[in-house]
Amino acid sequence: MPKMKSHSGTKKRFRRSGTGKLMRAKAFKSHILTKKTTKRKRGFRQETEIAAADSKVVNARLAGR
């Protein structure tokens, strides 16, 4: 049986930090930016850790299971 492939979309959206946490980009940064404050938009630049509830699924997709 051939090897399982990692999920390509998951590879593009998540990365593992140096300490092993799964990181994701923040939402709401793509459009309708004029009404959002500069401080709020600046906050969207930082990555954040994914929720514990989602980590099982994301780990499985990255591992190719």
Side-chain angles (χ1 to χ4, degrees):
M1 191 165 164
K3 288 184 181 180
M4 295 291 287
K5 290 187 177 182
S6 299
H7 192 270
S8 296
T10 305
K11 284 192 286 188
K12 293 169 192 172
R13 286 172 175 84
F14 302 97
R15 71 172 192 86
R16 203 168 291 282
S17 70
T19 55
K21 296 175 185 172
L22 284 166
M23 306 302 283
R24 66 166 175 84
K26 289 189 180 170
F28 308 111
K29 181 65 167 75
S30 58
H31 64 118
I32 317 176
L33 298 173
T34 50
K35 63 175 78 169
K36 294 169 187 159
T37 63
T38 310
K39 183 179 178 180
R40 188 173 163 200
K41 288 186 278 194
R42 205 165 45 240
F44 293 142
R45 290 181 204 156
Q46 280 82 36
E47 288 182 323
T48 186
E49 192 179 351
I50 68 166
D54 299 327
S55 61
K56 186 179 176 184
V57 174
V58 175
N59 271 318
R61 285 175 159 221
L62 287 173
R65 281 186 260 137

